[in-house]
Amino acid sequence: MKRISKILHLLAFMPVIFVNDLKSQTQQTDTTKRVDIKAVDILRQQKAADLRRSPFAADGIDMQPLRMQNLDLNRVLDRLPGIRVRQNGGLGSEASYTIHGLTGNAIRFFVDGVPINNLGSAFGPGSIPSNSLERIEVYKGVTPIELGSDALGGAINLVTRQDLQNNLEFSYAAGSFNTHRATLSSYFSSKNKKLFAQLNGFINSSDNNYEVWGPGVAIAGSDGRIIENIRFKRFNDDYKSVGAKVSIGLRELAWADLLSIGLYASGSDRGIQTGRTMAFVYGAVRYDDRFMMPNIRYVKRNLAGGKLDVDIFAGINSLRGTTTDTSSNKFNWAGNVIDPNVQGELNGIRAQKSIYQFNDRNIQSRVNANYRFSEHLQMRLAYNGTWARREGADELGVAEWTIALREPQYMNKNIVGAAVESNNKNKTFQQILSFRALHYKAESVAYQYSGNSQRELVPISSDDLLWGGSYAARWIPATNWALKLSAENSIRLPEGVELFGDGTTILNSPNLQPEQSQNLNASVHRRFVFDDNLSLETSGNYFFRNTKNLIWLGEGDLFGTARYENLEKIRSQGFEVEARLNIRERFFWTLSSTYQDVRNRQRLAPSGAPNVVFNDRLRNMPYFFANSEFRLQSIRAGKSKYLSAYLNTQYIEKFYFGWPSLGNQATNAYVPRQFIQDAGTAVTFENLGLTVGLDCYNLFNQQIYDNYLLQKPGRFLSIKITYHLSNPF
């Protein structure tokens, strides 16, 4: 197996040696292959390429070639340079995202510009199907003000399909661990194209009963001694979710280019298998939520003599989540009851049975305006407002950990931004200068000792007005060259889950302070065009982050829970490189690697004593990783059959999940070095509108980890069938 792994490693990382052979072969088969790309495909690919050429440190991913894979978006994002996606388990598990050393909610997610953190857990990136997306926009550092966010480390915008022709598409995928995923996408418009209706829906389910072993996974033998290195199947980790985005509206009217009324709706249900580490195993804890958000959007372009564009969005959402912890049994990893007389499983010896339910109410509005003074100068204005309120209740009312969460808590955020964009006459120099004002007000509570021996609820209030700004520029000194520079002083306000907790294993943290960071990106891009059929794009990027009050999820405590906390000063710097080889728009090879040095720069501990972990690498943070992919796309396999295939490999250097200075370097706990391969193929029967895809993730069944040695699934095999019907109505 190791020999096969090495062969695949070489194939994925060194396909350039086959370029000349592939080039000659493809030239000889011109008569049997499509050489023309439809105009719509060219335009779609151009949008993703334009983003990479913008002044921002950004990537654009065209999702059309990836729709036929049984591929969740976390895998797509994890293959990009500078980005690491870390999950706590299988389908539906919590995931954290890191861009250039900044992590968690410092990375903002959007669906068509709408913040995803307000759309319920079922609309997480790991659940949204690839079929429903047109492209993914990734910003590493400075973000456009029209997203209207307080992103600190970057933003990821998921752009849904904008099909303007009647169509119906259905897909179904089945895979290991009893995993099933189904999607439905459809678009209908009237004969004059003015009235339309659109639906994107999905259903996901998985038992997630993969094997786990190693650190934290152990049972006691009959003699009371701990037995390790036994493999067990996860048994309370099942996941189900359903979600839909529906919209109906009007297009291309005299008074509106777009007026739509829509609805986001979702629900999820899952078992809670572990605490923040695998040392805590739960056998009956459950979580479910239900979400709904009606919304309206209005777009009008070319007002004021063709110079002004306006885009307005507003929505009201409701999220209800319930954590049920009523078991009298304590379980081990074998799924056996080892104590039938406990009072719930969460919080260890502090456990008390609970049925905790929270209700979130959220009002969100977004206004974007763009005014063009001339072909070379334009101004953008943006406003984003969020009003959130949480109320909680515990049906049993005895669990101490829910006391603070039962009190009403609220948070209001208002963000106003302005940006000026200019180009020179030949558009070889483009720059964007922007400013943001951020107002944040929150009321929360803490359950703590307050100057005496009795614990009590203590109200916590926050009210801040902060300012940020950014500059981004791109210069094209010669054909196929580009130099880019971006810098910002960015602010991020705490999110609801960070302040209020998640109702399961994350406790509330009402004393959090906003994050602030000075960010810098400098990059060079070079494109080599050898002929019409062969090109190579290369890029190198240096990044620097100086962050105060970094908000991150602290290490789990002795009871399996954790809470978000501020780290006073963190510095991150590093570089990323990438190469993209394109042969006749059919053969693609991508290679990227990232090195990030993220260190604790707080010299003094809160007590005033020297900080013993000063200048340590940030714990639980990978510092070197690389990806490579070799892809064959739409190769003709018959008169109406096309073949696609890919091989992806990923390398992650080992990293400590504790502070290195607090343990012996030889024995300190670490996440081991990982080398993982994925492979797949798909056949499209164009005359039938049918595609059949086969995928295998973690090809050699490696033991892979992310956060605090939380083990992820082993080998995953799946088959996916996609049926597309044009003009069915």
Side-chain angles (χ1 to χ4, degrees), residues 194 250-260 297-313 366-372:
K194 295 186 181 298
L250 301 168
R251 292 184 184 275
E252 308 304 329
L253 303 178
W255 48 275
D257 290 318
L258 173 68
L259 176 63
S260 68
R297 187 182 180 194
Y298 172 80
V299 178
K300 179 58 182 172
R301 304 180 185 90
N302 299 318
L303 293 167
K307 295 184 177 182
L308 177 65
D309 300 335
V310 177
D311 187 340
I312 302 173
F313 174 89
R366 187 197 68 193
V367 180
N368 289 328
N370 182 29
Y371 188 83
R372 292 174 291 276

Side-chain angles (χ1 to χ4, degrees), residues 399-695:
E400 181 179 292
W401 72 272
T402 68
I403 291 176
L405 306 181
R406 299 176 212 162
E407 297 298 310
Q409 304 174 80
Y410 77 86
M411 176 180 62
N412 298 339
K413 296 198 300 185
N414 293 278
I415 304 171
V416 179
V420 176
E421 178 181 335
S422 64
N423 293 276
N424 60 359
K425 289 186 178 181
N426 56 11
K427 297 186 178 180
T428 58
F429 184 73
Q430 181 183 9
Q431 56 184 338
I432 302 172
L433 179 65
S434 66
F435 298 94
R436 284 184 174 91
L438 307 94
H439 178 252
Y440 160 76
K441 187 174 183 180
E443 293 284 346
S444 188
V445 293
Y447 186 59
Q448 60 188 27
Y449 294 103
S450 181
N452 53 58
S453 60
Q454 297 296 319
R455 298 185 71 182
E456 60 185 53
L457 287 169
V458 178
I460 306 292
S461 298
S462 301
D463 193 340
D464 286 299
L465 176 62
L466 303 164
W467 298 84
S470 66
Y471 176 79
R474 182 210 62 196
W475 178 43
I476 302 176
T479 303
N480 293 324
W481 280 91
L483 304 176
K484 299 201 293 186
L485 175 71
S486 59
E488 66 177 335
N489 177 46
S490 59
I491 311 293
R492 185 178 80 82
L493 308 175
E495 283 297 302
V497 69
E498 296 165 335
L499 285 172
F500 308 150
D502 69 349
T504 56
T505 59
I506 299 177
L507 305 179
N508 72 331
S509 185
N511 293 303
L512 283 178
Q513 299 298 311
E515 294 177 323
Q516 299 186 49
S517 186
Q518 291 78 47
N519 303 334
L520 173 70
N521 281 80
S523 61
V524 57
H525 304 257
R526 176 72 164 98
R527 186 169 186 259
F528 301 89
V529 181
F530 303 103
D531 56 37
D532 292 340
N533 299 318
L534 181 63
S535 65
L536 175 67
E537 293 187 28
T538 61
S539 64
N541 178 52
Y542 167 79
F543 56 86
F544 175 85
R545 308 284 186 265
N546 186 42
T547 307
K548 294 176 59 179
N549 293 324
L550 176 75
I551 299 174
W552 78 322
L553 186 61
E555 190 172 355
D557 61 18
L558 296 176
F559 308 102
T561 58
R563 57 168 35 97
Y564 284 92
E565 58 189 37
N566 288 113
L567 288 179
E568 184 174 317
K569 190 174 182 180
I570 297 294
R571 187 192 66 197
S572 171
Q573 61 180 332
F575 59 86
E576 62 184 47
V577 294
E578 183 179 31
R580 299 169 181 250
L581 181 69
N582 182 339
I583 307 173
R584 296 181 60 84
E585 297 293 335
R586 292 294 178 264
F587 301 87
F588 301 87
W589 171 62
T590 303
L591 172 66
S592 66
S593 66
T594 302
Y595 173 82
Q596 56 187 28
D597 188 36
V598 187
R599 295 187 179 270
N600 185 341
R601 299 296 295 172
Q602 182 177 343
R603 292 183 177 274
L604 299 178
S607 63
N611 184 7
V612 295
V613 295
F614 170 72
N615 212 37
D616 266 16
R617 288 191 189 276
L618 190 62
R619 63 185 185 184
N620 195 40
M621 177 69 69
Y623 67 90
F624 179 75
F625 44 93
N627 290 273
S628 181
E629 183 176 76
F630 184 49
R631 178 178 293 274
L632 285 71
Q633 183 173 309
S634 298
I635 305 301
R636 183 180 286 277
K639 290 184 178 180
S640 62
K641 289 190 291 186
Y642 295 90
L643 174 69
S644 300
Y646 70 92
L647 170 65
N648 179 271
T649 188
Q650 183 180 56
Y651 174 86
I652 305 145
E653 184 54 83
K654 77 173 184 180
F655 57 95
Y656 295 105
F657 63 77
W659 295 110
S661 295
L662 298 183
N664 185 303
Q665 291 287 330
T667 61
N668 204 3
Y670 61 86
V671 176
R673 180 182 296 116
Q674 299 175 70
F675 179 54
I676 311 149
Q677 292 79 31
D678 303 331
T681 185
V683 178
T684 298
F685 302 88
E686 192 175 47
N687 57 334
L688 301 176
L690 182 69
T691 298
V692 179
L694 298 173
D695 296 273

Side-chain angles (χ1 to χ4, degrees), residues 234-256:
R234 295 169 76 104
F235 57 93
N236 184 42
D237 202 27
D238 58 295
Y239 172 76
K240 298 179 180 65
S241 68
V242 58
K245 176 191 174 187
V246 183
S247 60
I248 183 170
L250 301 168
R251 292 184 184 275
E252 308 304 329
L253 303 178
W255 48 275

